[in-house]
Structure formats: C-alpha cells, structure tokens
Amino acid sequence: MKLLEYEAKALLKKAGVPVPASSLLSPKTKKMPVLPAVLKSQVPVGGRGKAGGVVIVKTEAEFYTASSKILSLPIKGFVPKHLLAEELINIARELYVSIIIDKPTASIRLMAHRQGGVEIETHAASSFLTATLTGKNAGLVGEQLAEYFETPDQAFALQDLTEQLYDCFVSNDALLLEINPLVLTKQDKLVAGDCKMELDDAAAFRHPDWDFEATTAETNFVTLNPNGNVATIANGAGLAMATVDAVADAGLSPANFLDIGGGANTASVLAAFEKIMEYPDVKAIVINIFAGITRCDEVAKAIIAARQQISGLPPLSIRLAGTNFEAAVELLAAEKIPVLQTLEECIQTAKKEVSA
Ligand code: GDP
Ligand code: MN
C-alpha cells in the first residue's frame, strides 16, 4: 500500500524526523495557510513537481488560483482529495535518501545521492552511495552519509536521521521509504522535503491502527449498475467476480464489484458499506469472504459497526470461511447476525429480500 505524502510525513514526524510545518486542505476545507506556502497535490505518484502539482504561493490571490487548479488537476490519472500546504523552506541543497528491502539478500538497503530533486532518475546507478542497514550500524552509515554528501557539520544530524529512518522503516513494516529531496536549508538544518512510503499489506494484521487513504481506496470498487438491487463485498478479485456472476445468474442485478483485498481492516470494510449506501435500489448485500490474509473477525467487526452506525442498511447475506472464522461467528452470534454456509444460500436469501 502506497501512502500519500502527508500520511508518510506523519510517520516520519512520529519517528523524530524533521518535516516542514503544514496544514491539510480539501475542497471542502480550503482555509488560508500561512503564506508564503508551497501547495502540494496529494496523489500516490511521483513527478508532481514536473506535472504542475507543486506550486509556491505568496499571496492570497495566488493561493486561491493555485489551490483550485491543483485540486482539479489529474496527475497520472489521479485527482487529489487533499492538498498539503507547507511552510516554504529555504533550500540550500537537495539531497536524496531512500531505504528499501533488498529481496535477493534479504536485507535492508540504504541508497543516497548528493543531487536529489526532480531529476533523480537521470543519475547513473554508480553515483549513488549504497549501504546495508542493520539495527546496529545506523550511526555508522550516518557518518558515511556526511562524508559522501560532503557535509561534515551534519554528521551528528545524519547519524540521528539514519537511526530514525531505520526505526520508522522497521516499525511500520515498510517496503520503501524515500526522501527526495532531503533538504539542507540555508539555516543548515536537514528537513524531509518530500516522502514516499510503501507499507507491506501482508503486515496489516499487526497494525490495527492503519487507516490511510489507500486502505479505503475505491480502486477495487467498481460500479456495475447504479440501479442494481444487490451489492457485493468479497475478497480476492477471482472470488469477487464469481460472487457478481452468481448474483447475476440468479436473475438479480449486481450493483457493484468489490474486492476488499488482503489488507482489509474494520475501517476499510466500513468505508465499503458507506459507498454501497449511495446506491438507491440495493435491497440486499451479499458478503462472500474466503479469508487467508484477510481475517474473518475484522470483517465481522466491520459488519457489526456498519449495523450500528449506518441507518437503513439493507439486509446482509453473509458467508465466511478461513482465518479466524470461529472468532467471527462468535462476534456475529452475539449480535444475532446469522452466517450462512454457502454462497448459494446467500444468493437465495438475497433473492427473497429483493422480491419481498
Ligand atoms: P515530486 O515532484 O512529486 O517529487 O514533489 P516534491 O515534493 O519533491 O517537490 C518537487 C520540487 O519542488 C522539489 O524538488 C523542490 O525543488 C521544490 N520544492 C518543494 N517544496 C519546496 C519548498 O518548500 N521550497 C522551495 N524553494 N522549493 C520547494
Ligand atoms: Mn519528490
């Protein structure tokens, strides 16, 4: 799962890494930031600077023009839901640091470059500094960075930074953590100017607090018929397609396709229910989960939360199997919510609701 810049920077900040002061804006809450500011489109792709998604504004008039423009500007197909307004930093140098999992050697690798910024891709691989990071050598690697960047005054700051980045990477089960640019300001401070972070979806089970825009992304949610009478929630693209087909084969009209994915948690499933509520003609919801990485009890908690929080929720036909099935059945039984044995039964129950 790819985080947006503001989400990644929140994790950096928590780990002690200096980030610019900022405020998060959306089309609904477009309050004036402290000026001058840099406005940044919050889309899950790089190259925003070159695409016009990063704009410095000095006046209120410039803010209004630029914020409206960025909020409606698609970048590589993504339209931002949010704008990050950051205090302007006085850049002396733009550096580059990233940490990745190196699969062939099963190790954590740091990469750095003296010339960070939007042209990073143009540098020869041989010009990067690379080092294997462990829990013990982060300080040493920080010293190496100071030498490579030719910033001896920043040796201590880079030691701290390397340790903080390593901790942030490991504690968040990251696959990638990239700071480009790592800014050396004219005041001789190091600040993370931008941050890209990718987390390991397979580790979602030990991060019940994960609640990012990507976890509730609509990419796996497809409207099939806005006037459909049965909504579907399944996991895995294959099972989700089979569920839609089974609904259609029974002479019902599937409103949507939804694969809640392996990283599904209570928040993301609850978001799916809310999306389904936008369909006016849905009379039943078929839930078909074959849990591997997904956990049945997480889905059960979302079902219970949805029943409590969403008024007018259509009747649910639920079939669950796999990881933590027993715990899920127990949770649902306590709320008197039945779990069916087969998809066939779910479809028949939904059919009754539709013709009722
Ligand atoms: P990206 O293009 O998606 O990687 O977006 P970045 O956040 O990295 O911004 C692109 C470029 O905008 C940076 O490399 C900087 O040169 C410039 N930039 C971003 N924030 C600031 C800032 O606060 N001050 C100045 N002077 N330039 C900035
Ligand atoms: Mn960048």
Side-chain angles (χ1 to χ4, degrees), residues 5 38 40 45-50 54 56 87-89 91 94 117-118 180-181 193-194:
E5 179 188 10
V38 53
K40 308 177 86 178
V45 288
R48 298 167 304 164
K50 285 186 173 177
V54 178
I56 293 171
E87 67 171 319
L88 205 58
I89 36 184
I91 300 180
E94 298 195 24
V118 298
N180 184 33
D194 184 14

Side-chain angles (χ1 to χ4, degrees), residues 84-107:
L84 188 64
E86 288 189 333
E87 67 171 319
L88 205 58
I89 36 184
N90 285 318
I91 300 180
R93 283 181 67 189
E94 298 195 24
L95 308 165
Y96 173 94
V97 176
S98 69
I99 301 178
I100 52 157
I101 301 244
D102 185 55
K103 286 186 184 166
T105 58
S107 58

Side-chain angles (χ1 to χ4, degrees), residues 295-308:
R295 292 168 34 180
C296 288
D297 56 331
E298 284 291 315
V299 176
K301 279 181 207 159
I303 290 171
I304 293 165
R307 292 239 310 192
Q308 285 165 354

Side-chain angles (χ1 to χ4, degrees), residues 207-290:
H207 299 277
D209 53 325
W210 275 0
D211 186 11
F212 303 108
E213 281 192 31
T215 19
T216 54
E218 290 159 22
T219 43
N220 296 333
F221 192 113
V222 182
T223 295
L224 300 173
N225 176 0
N227 296 107
N229 49 25
V230 176
T232 66
I233 296 180
N235 73 309
L239 191 66
M241 281 191 271
T243 306
V244 165
D245 284 348
V247 169
D249 286 348
L252 300 165
S253 163
N256 74 305
F257 163 96
L258 171 62
D259 163 16
I260 58 169
N265 56 23
T266 308
S268 64
V269 180
L270 195 55
F273 276 110
E274 272 160 10
K275 186 103 182 84
I276 286 170
M277 292 308 290
E278 290 169 19
Y279 299 116
D281 300 327
V282 165
K283 301 281 188 295
I285 303 176
V286 170
I287 300 170
N288 188 18
I289 304 295
F290 191 87

